[in-house]
């Protein structure tokens, strides 16, 4: 009788380890999705940081050279309004 309880506990322990692994994988994927949205999504941290640095560099360059040329381009999203072809508006205009 004692042996049967040990086997049962062992089976439950194995199942709990599997469930824990599945939930850990789901949690890691969710964290990756959230970080992707925060850093690489539209108006994310990376885009704002790049535009902030590029704006300062371009203003300084324009003040030194007296031209309107930009050294660093601004971060652009994939829309037609931003000048990048292939956005959703191109698909709508084609129909």
């Amino acid at each position: 009788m004692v042996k049967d309880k040990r086997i049962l506990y062992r089976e439950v322990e194995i199942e709990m380890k599997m469930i824990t692994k599945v939930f850990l994988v789901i949690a890691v994927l969710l964290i990756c999705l959230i970080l992707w949205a925060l850093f690489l999504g539209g108006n994310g941290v990376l885009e704002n940081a790049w535009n902030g640095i590029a704006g300062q560099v371009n203003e300084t360059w324009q003040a030194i050279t007296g031209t309107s040329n930009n050294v660093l381009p601004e971060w652009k999203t994939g829309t037609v309004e931003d000048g990048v072809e292939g956005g959703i508006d191109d698909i709508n205009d084609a129909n």
Side-chain angles (χ1 to χ4, degrees):
M1 182 93 161
V2 173
K3 188 174 183 180
D4 292 337
K5 286 184 179 179
R6 289 181 185 165
I7 292 173
L8 181 64
Y9 288 139
R10 180 70 180 155
E11 290 175 1
V12 170
E13 183 180 339
I14 291 172
E15 289 177 12
M16 290 302 293
K17 286 183 181 179
M18 180 61 78
I19 291 171
T20 303
K21 288 179 184 178
V22 169
F23 278 110
L24 284 176
V25 168
I26 292 171
V28 166
L29 291 174
L30 186 62
I31 289 170
C32 290
L33 179 68
I34 291 170
L35 290 175
W36 179 273
L38 286 175
F39 283 94
L40 300 175
N43 293 328
V45 173
L46 186 61
E47 180 179 349
N48 287 330
W50 175 265
N51 285 338
I53 292 170
Q56 291 295 321
V57 169
N58 290 335
E59 287 176 14
T60 305
W61 178 259
Q62 291 168 359
I64 291 171
T65 62
T67 63
S68 62
N69 296 337
N70 288 335
V71 177
L72 297 174
E74 288 189 13
W75 187 292
K76 296 185 187 299
T77 57
T79 61
V80 174
E81 291 81 22
D82 294 332
V84 179
E85 292 184 13
I88 190 70
D89 293 330
D90 281 347
I91 296 170
N92 292 334
D93 291 340
N95 292 332

